[in-house]
Amino acid sequence: MKFLITGGAGFIGSNYLHYVVNKYSDDYFVCLDALTYAGNYNNIKDLEGKPNYKFVHGDITDRSFVYELFEKEKFDVVINFAAESHVDNSIKNPELFLRTNIIGTEVLMDACLKYNVSRYHQVSTDEVYGDLPLDRKDLLFTEKTPIHTSSPYSTSKASADLLVGAYHRTYGLNTTISRCSNNYGPYQFPEKLIPLTISKALNNEKIPVYGTGENVRDWIHVIDHNIGVDLIVRNGKSGEIYNLGGHSEKSNLELVKIILNQLGKSEDLIEFVADRKGHDLRYAIDSSKVEEELGWKRTYTFESGIKETIDWYLNNQEWLNAIKDGSYKNSYKD
């Protein structure tokens, strides 16, 4: 089969490509990425020359470009990782998120219909469910939890999910959606909490923590997430939504302290800052559907995953430095 992987130079998409390109030698994978600020060609540079892989530079919102690509490549499966994903940025500039996350999804699905793609998969987020109270650990997000968004980012992702459902029902497009909890692992852009904390701690810089740090997130290793996406794409039921969670809830403050402890750094580096607007309190996912129906299992505990992740950043400080000095933007030339 021939796969289109959009957003493949980003954090989750690049990890997915490393997983599938090496696992499925009989399948062919085309990576499409616009290489905006969080798209880093260094993430996928070592896939160059693989016989079942190639990179294409382009924007999913460019309809004529997308149609031309679909007509040329004749994809069997499309997996849409492409998204603007930083909540703070969405608060500052909602329009960019609406364009990429909603219009980009529409363009891709229109192309799927036009060129008879057999499966479209949307990579979404647990943030579409809103948040849960801190004092009710018994409550978890299920696939039937109503959408209740808080930020322009989560609203754009929820809108895309609803559009995917509409294309399945109205046009008969074969679709699936996965909604994951917070990912961590290699190649994550250092604006996000874990790589930001590691990067700043290595330089003995202050680490900003919103509010009192009590907000709770459920953490899943990016490899476990991508194993789940692969299972859903290949075996999931058309029209269905599947939750992928880590069962590893940590408060932001607890997480930062874990990282500082592993790095042998003082907690004095923690600096509490004004809370984010509309800051969700707690995320927690029930993954029993994908576990029971598709046999998905997590391979990482949080303890093993966070240690491996910290070690990766320690061993790849050139990767971090290229982002800090901006040279990563020159890692790909058309």
Side-chain angles (χ1 to χ4, degrees), residues 38-307:
N40 186 349
Y41 190 73
N42 286 332
N43 295 355
I44 49 173
K45 207 163 192 174
D46 59 353
L47 293 175
E48 286 179 353
K50 295 276 187 178
N52 62 334
Y53 165 84
K54 77 172 180 180
F55 176 78
V56 176
H57 186 204
D59 190 331
I60 62 170
T61 66
D62 185 339
R63 187 177 295 271
S64 60
F65 168 81
V66 168
Y67 281 13
E68 184 178 332
L69 181 65
F70 273 65
E71 185 165 2
K72 176 185 176 184
E73 298 290 348
K74 297 178 172 53
F75 299 112
D76 299 296
V77 179
V78 172
I79 306 177
N80 184 25
F81 288 95
E84 295 288 343
S85 65
H86 194 1
V87 174
D88 290 341
N89 290 346
S90 80
I91 293 170
K92 296 172 187 172
N93 184 11
E95 183 178 354
L96 177 61
F97 285 69
L98 304 185
R99 176 173 168 75
T100 299
N101 298 354
I102 303 174
I103 301 302
T105 298
E106 181 222 359
V107 169
L108 288 172
M109 290 194 296
D110 285 344
C112 287
L113 289 171
K114 184 175 176 66
Y115 296 101
N116 299 311
V117 172
S118 60
R119 168 62 67 91
Y120 175 87
H121 181 76
Q122 179 76 2
V123 179
S124 188
T125 170
D126 60 357
E127 294 190 42
V128 302
Y129 298 125
D131 63 355
L132 297 165
L134 293 173
D135 60 353
R136 289 291 306 276
K137 296 296 184 182
D138 58 311
L139 295 179
L140 303 172
F141 296 136
T142 73
E143 290 82 359
K144 294 185 178 180
T145 299
I147 284 174
H148 187 69
T149 60
S150 304
S151 68
Y153 161 62
S154 58
T155 301
S156 69
K157 291 297 288 184
S159 300
D161 287 2
L162 292 172
L163 197 60
V164 172
Y167 270 60
H168 172 74
R169 178 166 179 170
T170 302
Y171 304 112
L173 184 63
N174 184 0
T175 66
T176 44
I177 297 171
S178 57
R179 292 173 177 161
C180 66
S181 53
N182 282 43
N183 280 228
Y184 68 97
Y187 302 112
Q188 189 170 26
F189 200 79
E191 65 186 358
K192 299 297 177 74
L193 181 59
I194 288 177
L196 178 72
T197 299
I198 295 170
S199 176
K200 287 187 174 294
L202 289 175
N203 293 309
N204 295 309
E205 298 173 4
K206 288 292 187 180
I207 298 160
V209 174
Y210 282 129
T212 60
E214 65 181 350
N215 303 71
V216 170
R217 299 294 179 259
D218 175 32
W219 293 94
I220 184 172
H221 195 282
V222 66
I223 290 177
D224 282 340
H225 175 205
N226 282 326
I227 290 171
V229 169
D230 187 52
L231 272 173
I232 294 165
V233 168
R234 293 175 185 272
N235 302 312
K237 183 180 177 184
S238 182
E240 290 294 304
I241 298 168
Y242 297 89
N243 284 347
L244 295 164
H247 288 200
S248 298
E249 292 183 52
K250 307 288 179 189
S251 73
N252 290 344
L253 182 59
E254 181 183 5
L255 179 64
V256 170
K257 287 182 176 180
I258 288 171
I259 295 171
L260 289 173
N261 180 60
Q262 293 233 5
L263 291 172
K265 298 290 185 176
S266 170
E267 292 180 6
D268 291 340
L269 291 176
I270 295 171
E271 180 178 53
F272 294 101
V273 298
D275 208 355
R276 168 189 285 162
K277 295 178 180 178
H279 200 176
D280 286 336
L281 290 174
R282 173 177 168 254
Y283 302 148
I285 273 187
D286 180 349
S287 302
S288 58
K289 178 179 176 179
V290 71
E291 292 168 10
E292 293 166 6
E293 293 186 12
L294 302 181
W296 177 72
K297 295 179 181 178
R298 283 168 294 277
T299 61
Y300 281 89
T301 63
F302 180 79
E303 290 70 26
S304 64
I306 194 64
K307 183 180 186 305

